[in-house]
Amino acid sequence: MASKAYRIFFFALLLLASPFLQVVRCQSDASVESEEAVKDITDLGTVGEDEQDFGDGSFSPAPGVDTVCVFPKNSARIVVAGEEAELLAGVKNDGDSSLNVIAIKASVHYTFDHRVLIQNLTAQPFNNASVPASSQATFPYFFAVSKYLQPGNFDLVGTIIYEMDQHPYQSTFFNGTIEVAEASGFLSIESVFLVTLGIALMVLLGLWIHGQIQNLSKKTKRAPKVEVGTKASDASLDEWLEGTAYSQSSSNKLKKKK
């Protein structure tokens, strides 16, 4: 019973510790990306306010163009459902011509099946955003996943669309996992689950302690001593033998002695 209770307690602790382990792992991955991020910012241009349809066409990346991605002040890549999040797309142009950034777009997919599209995020156009040859620049992208999206891990694919020498190109600057969290409120599903799990562990621990106390009390408990008297039994024995041959022989022996 005790070993079974220990195993249940150990597995419950693992369940509680798993979110923290995942955050530590995400932070270590993001720190490596931050070291490789571009640092110089050139002409960023301006963010367009009008929504445009860039179509579903797929273009190849231009030769000599490299991209990176950083989540500023969010190394764990945690995105709250329904709230705006920010990432930075870095572009390094080692080509011979200047490139003009047209827009940045992104989409959300299942981690176990990347072919399933969950949400197409809003494309963000840029005006007069250029990266000259042999230079680099960083472009912000603001997005928000649906507030109805269930909390969990999802794949985010970010693409930057640009043109060089009047030819369209695109490069994927991010293709990784993000964690979608539920919007904070008075009570959340995660908090209710943690409170319920904590109460269950407390009850389990109390039952185990109660059982141990009962087992200990049974071992130390001694049976009470019962004293059996002899006078009452002798009187009842004489009364039972009265009138028998044994009683008559006993009386004859007493007369002879006298």
Side-chain angles (χ1 to χ4, degrees):
M1 174 68 182
S3 61
K4 184 178 180 181
Y6 279 130
R7 287 197 298 267
I8 296 175
F9 186 73
F10 179 73
F11 287 133
L13 287 179
L14 287 180
L15 287 174
L16 289 174
S18 60
F20 301 101
L21 294 176
Q22 184 179 6
V23 169
V24 171
R25 178 178 60 83
C26 291
Q27 288 179 347
S28 62
D29 294 341
S31 62
V32 176
E33 294 179 359
S34 299
E35 293 177 357
E36 298 176 354
V38 294
K39 298 180 180 179
D40 298 333
I41 301 177
T42 57
D43 184 13
L44 299 183
T46 58
V47 177
E49 297 180 355
D50 298 333
E51 294 186 1
Q52 301 180 21
D53 185 10
F54 298 96
D56 297 330
S58 178
F59 308 105
S60 61
V65 176
D66 295 324
T67 57
V68 293
C69 178
V70 175
F71 286 77
K73 300 180 181 180
N74 187 11
S75 58
R77 299 199 291 265
I78 299 177
V79 178
V80 180
E83 296 184 6
E84 188 179 71
E86 179 187 7
L87 58 81
L88 299 177
V91 179
K92 184 178 181 181
N93 183 12
D94 290 333
D96 298 330
S97 303
S98 175
L99 66 84
N100 296 321
V101 176
I102 300 175
I104 293 178
K105 65 178 183 178
S107 56
V108 181
H109 305 259
Y110 282 121
T111 55
F112 56 87
D113 190 354
H114 201 270
R115 296 171 298 178
V116 179
L117 175 64
I118 299 177
Q119 181 183 0
N120 262 327
L121 303 177
T122 303
Q124 182 172 296
F126 290 88
N127 299 325
N128 302 321
S130 62
V131 182
S134 302
S135 62
Q136 53 194 12
T138 304
F139 300 91
Y141 176 62
F142 299 92
F143 65 97
V145 299
S146 173
K147 63 180 180 180
Y148 302 107
L149 188 61
Q150 184 179 3
N153 291 332
F154 298 90
D155 279 349
L156 177 68
V157 180
T159 304
I160 185 168
I161 304 173
Y162 54 95
E163 63 178 10
M164 296 180 66
D165 299 329
Q166 297 182 352
H167 292 287
Y169 298 94
Q170 72 178 31
S171 297
T172 300
F173 60 86
F174 182 78
N175 187 359
T177 302
I178 61 172
E179 180 182 353
V180 176
E182 189 177 8
S184 59
F186 181 74
L187 284 177
S188 62
I189 297 177
E190 183 179 0
S191 62
V192 172
F193 171 76
L194 292 177
V195 171
T196 304
L197 182 59
I199 295 175
L201 290 176
M202 294 289 291
V203 172
L204 180 63
L205 183 61
L207 292 176
W208 179 80
I209 294 175
H210 180 70
Q212 294 298 318
I213 294 175
Q214 282 189 341
N215 293 334
L216 185 61
S217 62
K218 288 180 181 179
K219 292 180 181 179
T220 57
K221 187 177 180 181
R222 296 179 179 178
K225 294 182 179 180
V226 180
E227 295 183 358
V228 180
T230 57
K231 294 182 179 180
S233 61
D234 292 341
S236 61
L237 182 61
D238 293 339
E239 184 179 356
W240 182 72
L241 292 175
E242 186 178 356
T244 62
Y246 176 78
S247 63
Q248 292 177 359
S249 63
S250 299
S251 62
N252 293 331
K253 289 180 181 179
L254 292 175
K255 290 177 181 181
K256 287 180 180 181
K257 289 181 180 179
K258 291 179 180 180

